[in-house]
Amino acid sequence: MTMKTLRQLTIVTLLCVFCNNNAKTSSDLMSYDLKEILSNLSVQEKIELVTGVGYEYSPKGMTGYTTSIERFGIPHMALLDGPQGIRIDWSKKDFNYSIRPTAFPTATVLASSWDENLVFKVGEGIGKEARHIYADIILGPGINLQRNPLGGRNFEYYSEDPILTGRIGSSMVQGIQSVGVGATLKHFVANNSETNRAALNIIVDEKTLRELYLRGFKIAVQDSQPRAVMTAYNLLNGVHTSQDSKLITQILKKEWGFDGIVMTDWKSGTDPAKQISAGVNLIMPGSSNDRASIKKSLQSGKLRMEQLDRSVKEVLRAALNPLPTLSSYKLSNKENLLKNNRSLARVAAANGMVLLRNKGKKLPLKGNISEIAFFGNGSYHSLISGLGSGRVCSTYRVNIIEGASNFSYGQSKLLEEIMRNYLPKSNPHSVCDYGGGFGQDPELIDERNFSEKEIGLIERQSDAAIITLRRLPGEGKDLSEEDHFEVSQTERSLVRSVSEIYRNKKKPVIVILNVPAPIETESWADFVDAILVSWLGGQEMGNAVFDILTGKQNPSGHLTASWPKKYSELQSAHGFPGIVTSEKLIPIFAGGDMAKPTKIEYLEQDAVGYRDILQSQKSVAYPFGFGLHYTEFELSNMNVKQRPHNVEVSMTITNTGEVSGADVIQVYSVNSDKDDVKYRELKGFRKTDILSPKQSADVTVTIPYRELEIFDNDNGCGWMLEQGSYQFFAAHSSQHIMSSQIIELKGDHSCEKNG
Ligand code: BGC
């Protein structure tokens, strides 16, 4: 075939992927073309296709860019961070995209809504913004588990539970991809802490790895066909994840059937040839060193041409084969899109906030409250996201005090003046001040000490007190027990003094937790009337807080991680965030920096989060799955049925309270025949529609057998459904069971299934 005809055929192919009824299907054409293109590419071109163009050549604002080869019509692919929205720093002078991105609520907030439809819509909203600037692939969602409350990137992840993570992650991928933009599951796998992340070896046994850490990825790969998967910085059982062929080729590609692109995390791994031979398709962000190293490895025979070709093929397939949804979504008017996304960010934030305490039903705020005293720096400088690559540079943020004034609440003038003088003078609306957000937040200062006299004067000017406690997480470092999990002396005495003074006057005290993950509540919760977790709630957070506080919206978020009483009680606290294994430095990037190697052994195996708490019967501050509403729900008619491919758990839910609201139904199960499994695990869930008072709804939670399977490592059976009597629990949290039923499941002892 001549170059000219090849180019024509490529162009025909590019056109044909947009049409539906060709005599030859696009995949026929693609496979034919790919071979042809491959055989005509030079070695240098192949090497360029599997390495990104590098920071210096990426268009400003894009996170990564792949190589184009014009003579074959192979286009660039533009990659853009996620997962909270699109990360483009529009404040840079030479940035010329027109869109000003929406900072949606962080991942934990979305998952806390337990609402797959809502998460789909947020994904769609993010995808539409990405399409406006012609990005091809979003670098999100994050599918790692919140193994430990101090994990630095917990805010970018969904939950401590893999099934919830996999299902919410699938909805996000489906939403993003519904408008033709690809999604990337990251970070594959076991990026559950950040300290020394590129030299950190995670040691975990196969069964735990499969049943917990890989399970969410497996669900999302199988249910949503993401365009890409990104490997992690850490090593897994001694091997860099990007150089691990068992992980990438055997498990992800062969067992799960993943057929998209596997890319490395930015500058991760130490050996490009090993990455390509392990099954990586794209080394990101790519550098001339990477290219030289691949070339050398080809010459020395360390890397074979067919291994390189295999990687090139996947990149070509993605670059030449847009998602089918690309042609059906037409760019909408930008102003409308941003307006819709603003409302969506608010709805999503309100749906994910979790009401932990409402003593004496002080919430929603009653009509006699018009002036509020806002304590805590976070009321004025509210945190809407964490630092790092996930931080979205939005044009504004609604702080909690602004939410209050949008609802016409006044504030104590004295307190306002004190805080104005105390807080740094940075622009409270800008979230782009810190170079995309990898550094420290200049607004982050300690809480002010208030004297009882001051609080007394402030109390006279207000009908209620709101105290916001905040914690800022970020990529590249973990939180600490002392500074983040624990409540500081100043914070505790602020909560105690404000509570005493206000409650003496029968005025409510509400704590807002503007935090990414659980903190200690045991020592102070009883002082206050109500606790609302606003999380890092995105740019509309202040409005959403008042949607909940005023009762405009009934809270319906439930926790996606357990809130322990004491950090040290957790088994995952052991050895966190890693212990040094040798004083000898090891390379952490190809041709780059060195660090001391560290390791974390996941000795607790599956005893993570509520599994840990249920197994060892620890008491917990707030259990996994917990959340209060302004109404009550009752469950009746629970019925469990075994179907050919799944188990169906049906029930009737009735709103027995006085206001409308949506319930979150969680289904847990345990194989009661097994001596070694003593605790129930989440297997399915469903958020109901909004039910009016006295209204009932029939709800069915469908649980595919896949979610009930265990990974049998001892007999080499792989994934299998064991025969036994399974007890199914319909619940409002891992510890609030409403009804249960036992059924016999036939099981599957073929011992041949895998994947
Ligand atoms: C992060 C990734 C991110 C990438 C590109 C890395 O530091 O771990 O999550 O997508 O940078 O910004």
Side-chain angles (χ1 to χ4, degrees):
M1 185 184 288
T2 65
M3 271 311 138
K4 189 158 168 247
T5 49
L6 180 56
R7 192 159 44 233
Q8 277 162 354
L9 187 51
T10 307
I11 290 164
V12 170
T13 308
L14 280 170
L15 294 175
C16 277
V17 292
F18 293 100
C19 34
N20 291 326
N21 300 314
N22 303 302
K24 229 177 178 187
T25 66
S26 58
S27 63
D28 288 340
L29 273 172
M30 290 318 297
S31 60
Y32 175 64
D33 269 353
L34 288 185
K35 264 196 225 139
E36 290 297 326
I37 296 174
L38 210 53
S39 60
N40 283 283
L41 285 169
S42 69
V43 174
Q44 185 58 26
E45 283 169 331
K46 289 180 187 176
I47 295 175
E48 283 173 11
L49 280 168
V50 299
T51 48
V53 300
Y55 287 121
E56 54 292 19
Y57 302 109
S58 297
K60 289 280 172 296
M62 288 293 166
T63 316
Y65 216 51
T66 66
T67 306
S68 68
I69 301 194
E70 271 172 34
R71 64 194 184 100
F72 295 131
I74 301 165
H76 290 284
M77 285 186 286
L79 319 182
L80 192 56
D81 268 319
Q84 198 190 344
I86 58 171
R87 180 170 71 93
I88 43 172
D89 187 353
W90 50 267
S91 62
K92 292 235 170 77
K93 278 194 213 65
D94 46 2
F95 182 83
N96 55 8
Y97 301 109
S98 60
I99 209 142
R100 299 287 178 264
T102 308
F104 286 95
T106 48
T108 311
V109 193
L110 299 179
S112 302
S113 75
W114 297 66
D115 185 340
E116 292 165 284
N117 295 331
L118 180 64
V119 175
F120 178 95
K121 281 191 204 147
V122 172
E124 190 185 40
I126 295 174
K128 284 179 181 177
E129 289 188 15
R131 270 206 63 188
H132 253 279
I133 59 167
Y134 306 108
D136 300 286
I137 296 182
I138 293 278
L139 302 173
I143 303 293
N144 300 96
L145 291 194
Q146 297 171 343
R147 170 177 175 266
N148 179 293
L150 304 181
R153 295 184 87 172
N154 279 352
F155 70 101
E156 295 187 67
Y157 301 147
Y158 294 125
S159 170
E160 68 188 20
D161 181 83
I163 289 181
L164 180 58
T165 296
R167 295 259 305 264
I168 295 288
S170 296
S171 304
M172 175 54 78
V173 171
Q174 284 162 359
I176 294 173
Q177 298 200 159
S178 71
V179 295
V181 175
T184 308
L185 304 184
K186 67 186 188 184
H187 308 88
F188 192 61
V189 63
N191 169 236
N192 311 106
S193 58
E194 287 290 290
T195 307
N196 197 33
R197 61 184 179 177
L200 172 67
N201 184 18
I202 301 299
I203 301 171
V204 54
D205 66 86
E206 177 93 13
K207 184 171 169 68
T208 308
L209 182 66
R210 297 280 193 153
E211 290 185 355
L212 278 195
Y213 298 98
L214 286 170
R215 194 171 207 150
F217 282 97
K218 178 171 179 253
I219 293 173
V221 164
Q222 294 177 338
D223 291 358
S224 65
Q225 289 83 44
R227 204 100 243 253
V229 168
M230 183 195 290
T231 54
Y233 281 112
N234 51 276
L235 294 86
L236 179 68
N237 295 323
V239 183
H240 284 277
T241 56
S242 59
Q243 295 169 193
D244 189 338
S245 69
K246 178 174 177 203
L247 191 64
I248 301 170
T249 301
Q250 178 58 35
I251 298 179
L252 176 64
K253 295 189 177 179
K254 295 209 174 117
E255 292 182 20
W256 303 350
F258 175 72
D259 66 354
I261 297 176
V262 177
M263 69 179 86
T264 64
D265 198 345
W266 267 231
K267 285 177 88 188
S268 64
T270 50
D271 187 338
K274 282 194 185 154
Q275 293 177 319
I276 300 292
S277 54
V280 159
N281 307 114
L282 203 49
I283 294 173
M284 292 306 294
S287 67
S288 46
N289 279 348
D290 294 335
R291 288 183 274 278
S293 162
I294 295 175
K295 199 168 182 180
K296 214 164 130 207
S297 301
L298 281 170
Q299 283 158 356
S300 70
K302 183 174 160 195
L303 181 68
R304 295 193 312 276
M305 191 55 78
E306 63 265 28
Q307 292 174 314
L308 179 61
D309 285 353
R310 196 182 57 186
S311 280
V312 174
K313 237 184 184 160
E314 296 305 331
V315 176
L316 289 178
R317 230 151 58 90
L320 292 173
N321 200 7
L323 286 166
T325 42
L326 187 73
S327 53
S328 48
Y329 170 69
K330 301 275 164 285
L331 284 191
S332 49
N333 169 286
K334 191 180 73 189
E335 298 314 319
N336 285 344
L337 168 62
L338 292 177
K339 196 163 149 238
N340 289 340
N341 279 354
R342 266 205 294 274
S343 327
L344 184 56
R346 177 168 176 169
V347 170
N351 275 278
M353 290 183 186
V354 182
L355 184 64
L356 293 182
R357 179 180 168 90
N358 194 11
K359 197 89 188 136
K361 299 212 162 109
K362 293 285 161 50
L363 290 180
L365 295 170
K366 307 293 173 289
N368 59 346
I369 291 169
S370 56
E371 308 293 321
I372 300 177
F374 289 95
F375 293 94
N377 301 346
S379 296
Y380 303 82
H381 290 171
S382 309
L383 301 174
I384 64 168
S385 85
L387 299 173
S389 63
R391 188 176 183 96
V392 172
C393 183
S394 61
T395 49
Y396 70 90
R397 67 166 179 228
V398 181
N399 293 300
I400 290 171
I401 37 156
E402 287 147 6
S405 89
N406 292 342
F407 276 78
S408 304
Y409 285 102
Q411 51 175 310
S412 153
K413 296 281 166 293
L414 172 59
L415 181 52
E416 197 216 335
E417 197 192 322
I418 293 176
M419 293 307 280
R420 201 176 332 111
N421 292 328
Y422 180 69
L423 290 168
K425 296 279 172 292
S426 63
N427 172 4
H429 295 277
S430 171
V431 294
C432 293
D433 289 349
Y434 343 118
F438 272 89
Q440 188 50 280
D441 187 332
E443 292 176 0
L444 212 72
I445 58 165
D446 287 343
E447 293 295 342
R448 181 180 184 277
N449 271 307
F450 283 87
S451 67
E452 300 219 335
K453 188 168 162 222
E454 281 173 324
I455 299 173
L457 292 172
I458 292 164
E459 178 275 315
R460 281 188 221 154
Q461 295 184 346
S462 52
D463 310 310
I466 287 184
I467 308 169
T468 304
L469 304 182
R470 65 178 188 180
R471 299 287 184 271
L472 181 67
E475 183 179 338
K477 48 185 180 291
D478 292 303
L479 304 179
S480 81
E481 179 182 3
E482 199 187 338
D483 297 336
H484 299 96
F485 184 78
E486 293 299 331
V487 169
S488 71
Q489 259 323 320
T490 317
E491 288 174 326
R492 190 174 293 109
S493 70
L494 180 68
V495 170
R496 179 192 278 265
S497 312
V498 170
S499 300
E500 273 167 11
I501 292 169
Y502 276 73
R503 287 174 77 180
N504 271 341
K505 298 283 172 62
K506 302 212 167 356
K507 294 180 181 177
V509 176
I510 297 133
V511 168
I512 308 286
L513 294 182
N514 184 198
V515 299
I519 65 165
E520 188 276 319
T521 53
E522 194 57 12
S523 67
W524 56 267
D526 280 345
F527 299 149
V528 305
D529 296 295
I531 305 175
L532 177 70
V533 190
S534 70
W535 306 112
L536 308 178
Q539 65 183 38
E540 283 288 330
M541 192 179 81
N543 285 331
V545 163
F546 275 85
D547 286 338
I548 299 290
L549 294 185
T550 56
K552 182 174 168 207
Q553 177 156 344
N554 195 337
S556 63
H558 283 238
L559 298 176
T560 64
S562 314
W563 283 46
K565 284 189 174 166
K566 274 200 195 131
Y567 171 76
S568 56
E569 281 178 3
L570 297 175
Q571 294 197 49
S572 69
H574 177 86
F576 187 93
I579 50 172
V580 175
T581 52
S582 160
E583 291 302 315
K584 204 170 148 227
L585 300 182
I586 56 164
I588 53 172
F589 302 132
D593 306 350
M594 311 279 282
K596 275 188 199 164
T598 52
K599 68 168 182 184
I600 304 181
E601 282 188 69
Y602 289 6
L603 294 172
E604 77 286 357
Q605 300 187 309
D606 61 348
V608 168
Y610 69 89
R611 291 168 167 84
D612 177 13
I613 284 154
L614 291 174
Q615 259 182 58
S616 48
Q617 302 182 344
K618 285 192 254 285
S619 72
V620 69
Y622 301 101
F624 171 86
F626 177 78
L628 297 172
H629 305 241
Y630 296 149
T631 187
E632 309 286 322
F633 295 97
E634 259 177 36
L635 180 144
S636 53
N637 306 329
M638 181 180 178
N639 193 9
V640 184
K641 283 214 172 73
Q642 179 165 17
R643 304 276 188 212
H645 303 291
N646 52 50
V647 170
E648 271 180 14
V649 183
S650 57
M651 66 204 87
T652 306
I653 301 295
T654 307
N655 181 350
T656 56
E658 290 175 1
V659 287
S660 302
D663 195 12
V664 172
I665 299 300
Q666 300 154 42
V667 175
Y668 296 80
S669 89
V670 62
N671 179 349
S672 346
D673 289 350
K674 290 195 69 180
D675 298 337
D676 56 337
V677 182
K678 297 176 196 67
Y679 58 93
R680 51 190 172 266
E681 294 178 295
L682 183 79
K683 296 297 173 190
F685 59 92
R686 179 80 185 273
K687 185 147 196 178
T688 68
D689 292 337
I690 292 181
L691 302 176
S692 322
K694 314 271 172 306
Q695 192 185 348
S696 294
D698 292 332
V699 172
T700 301
V701 176
T702 304
I703 300 170
Y705 286 155
R706 180 187 65 189
E707 317 320 22
L708 296 170
E709 286 173 352
I710 54 125
F711 191 81
D712 176 302
N713 204 32
D714 299 343
N715 308 311
C717 294
W719 288 105
M720 62 176 293
L721 178 65
E722 291 181 307
Q723 179 162 348
S725 14
Y726 285 71
Q727 186 167 15
F728 286 86
F729 305 85
H732 272 152
S733 87
S734 53
Q735 299 195 12
H736 295 83
I737 307 298
M738 295 183 289
S739 185
S740 78
Q741 211 176 334
I742 296 183
I743 63 163
E744 239 0 87
L745 289 187
K746 288 201 191 62
D748 149 21
H749 281 289
S750 68
C751 223
E752 284 157 8
K753 278 180 62 205
N754 217 338

